[in-house]
């Protein structure tokens, strides 16, 4: 296991330490039931947790050698035990789905660099994975205290509140996200899903419509928009939305379309 982690760390380090900081990254599983027995008529919550990313700080830079044997191990060892080293190791452990040990690595990072926003965010992501939602909330809240302009922290704070069934707090977190990033599709989709949970369908419709305006081929938004229309009694628009989702290869939308739109 140590050898595997070691090799994976080298791969990560070769890629660079600056990483991708796309604050609208999208990768969340789960569904948001809206009070019906038919499981086909449940709002989808797929698509928006955000991916792991590397810190926005300088650190070990390795040349792009083609084999592990040519990596500058002296340079690698120079960073052993630093916050950067443990941060990278935490990411590698997450990559192989070892979230509990990854969280411990981010504990170490935070002890070494207590103002490193991305360390709190990634520890919170790990806690989301192991369903430790309350502590995940604390991590994301700490990240927003350190950097009030980090939209990624608000994105994940909203998700953590959603899992705790704190829908109003989920909405508020996404409100902050959208102030910082008005075209963040994840913010509209997740906020719309929370509104759906609260049965505030007009606001859900507005948010899913905005997500579709940003990305006309956003399958899950079309599906959820259809559900929101359905529960307002507008079957025509519901079927139109499901038809669009089905045309984008949503099998669930195709089943709903067949069952409710004949």
């Amino acid at each position: 296991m140590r050898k595997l982690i070691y090799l994976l760390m080298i791969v990560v380090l070769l890629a660079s330490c600056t990483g991708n900081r796309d604050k609208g990254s999208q990768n969340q599983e789960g569904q948001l039931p809206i009070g019906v027995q038919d499981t086909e008529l449940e709002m989808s919550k797929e698509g928006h947790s955000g991916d792991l990313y590397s810190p926005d700080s300088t650190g070990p830079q390795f040349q792009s050698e083609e084999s592990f044997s040519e990596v500058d191990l002296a340079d690698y060892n120079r960073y052993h035990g630093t916050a950067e080293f443990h941060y990278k190791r935490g990411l590698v452990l997450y990559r192989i789905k070892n979230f509990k040990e990854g969280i411990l690595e981010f504990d170490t990072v935070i002890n070494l660099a207590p103002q490193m926003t991305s360390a709190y965010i990634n520890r919170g992501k790990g806690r989301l994975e192991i369903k430790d939602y309350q502590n995940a909330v604390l991590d994301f809240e700490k990240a927003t205290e350190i950097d009030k302009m980090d939209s990624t922290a608000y994105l994940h704070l909203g998700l953590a509140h959603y899992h705790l069934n704190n829908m109003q707090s989920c909405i508020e977190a996404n409100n902050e996200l959208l102030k910082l990033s008005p075209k963040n599709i994840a913010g509209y989709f997740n906020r719309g899903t929370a509104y759906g949970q609260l049965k505030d369908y007009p606001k859900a419709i507005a948010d899913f419509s905005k997500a579709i305006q940003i990305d006309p081929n956003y399958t899950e938004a079309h599906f959820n928009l259809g559900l929101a229309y359905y529960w307002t009694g507008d079957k025509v628009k519901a079927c139109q939305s499901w038809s669009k989702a089905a045309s984008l290869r949503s099998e669930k939308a195709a089943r709903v379309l067949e069952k409710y739109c004949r």
Side-chain angles (χ1 to χ4, degrees):
M1 175 63 76
R2 288 185 179 178
K3 184 176 181 181
L4 174 61
I5 292 174
Y6 177 77
L7 292 178
L8 285 171
M9 288 182 72
I10 293 175
V11 172
V12 173
L13 290 167
L14 284 172
S16 145
C17 72
T18 56
N20 174 19
R21 196 169 167 84
D22 178 5
K23 298 186 178 182
S25 297
Q26 303 150 26
N27 252 353
Q28 162 70 17
E29 296 180 354
Q31 295 178 322
L32 175 55
I34 54 175
V36 291
Q37 296 300 314
D38 190 340
T39 57
E40 294 286 9
L41 293 181
E42 293 181 347
M43 282 196 175
S44 171
K45 193 68 170 61
E46 298 176 359
H48 295 299
S49 72
D51 295 326
L52 300 175
Y53 57 87
S54 298
D56 289 340
S57 59
T58 57
Q61 298 287 330
F62 292 101
Q63 297 177 357
S64 300
E65 288 89 353
E66 296 181 357
S67 68
F68 292 128
S69 62
E70 297 174 4
V71 173
D72 184 353
L73 295 179
D75 194 26
Y76 178 86
N77 289 330
R78 187 177 307 129
Y79 289 91
H80 187 279
T82 64
E84 183 79 10
F85 176 90
H86 288 285
Y87 190 104
K88 295 290 186 180
R89 192 168 190 273
L91 293 181
V92 170
L93 287 163
Y94 279 9
R95 194 164 294 179
I96 61 175
K97 308 299 182 183
N98 191 343
F99 297 108
K100 289 185 178 180
E101 288 194 23
I103 289 168
L104 294 177
E105 292 297 326
F106 289 112
D107 287 344
T108 301
V109 175
I110 289 167
N111 286 334
L112 294 169
Q115 296 301 305
M116 190 175 187
T117 308
S118 55
Y120 289 99
I121 292 174
N122 276 297
R123 187 171 70 176
K125 288 180 182 181
R127 286 172 165 171
L128 283 177
E129 292 287 348
I130 64 172
K131 300 183 179 181
D132 183 5
Y133 302 127
Q134 193 62 60
N135 281 320
V137 165
L138 296 177
D139 275 338
F140 299 133
E141 286 181 339
K142 180 63 176 179
T144 63
E145 290 175 12
I146 297 172
D147 183 359
K148 296 183 183 300
M149 301 302 290
D150 193 320
S151 59
T152 305
Y154 289 108
L155 170 64
H156 290 87
L157 178 59
L159 287 168
H161 278 304
Y162 159 74
H163 285 296
L164 289 169
N165 202 36
N166 298 332
M167 293 302 146
Q168 190 57 48
S169 294
C170 174
I171 290 167
E172 291 169 2
N174 281 289
N175 287 345
E176 295 302 316
L177 164 63
L178 291 168
K179 287 179 186 178
L180 296 170
S181 181
K183 294 185 178 181
N184 191 304
I185 192 171
Y188 291 108
F189 183 88
N190 290 349
R191 189 174 68 178
T193 308
Y195 279 131
Q197 177 73 358
L198 295 176
K199 299 185 180 182
D200 190 343
Y201 301 122
K203 288 183 179 179
I205 288 169
D207 275 344
F208 294 134
S209 297
K210 182 64 176 180
I212 290 167
Q213 180 183 335
I214 297 170
D215 180 4
N217 294 320
Y218 189 3
T219 307
E220 299 300 331
H222 283 290
F223 183 83
N224 281 7
L225 179 60
L227 290 173
Y229 277 128
Y230 182 86
W231 292 111
T232 61
D234 194 336
K235 186 175 178 180
V236 172
K237 288 186 179 179
C239 292
Q240 289 174 345
S241 295
W242 291 334
S243 179
K244 177 61 177 179
S247 73
L248 294 170
R249 300 184 178 181
S250 168
E251 294 182 3
K252 186 174 184 178
R255 292 193 298 269
V256 170
L257 193 65
E258 175 69 19
K259 188 171 183 179
Y260 293 95
C261 299
R262 284 183 161 183

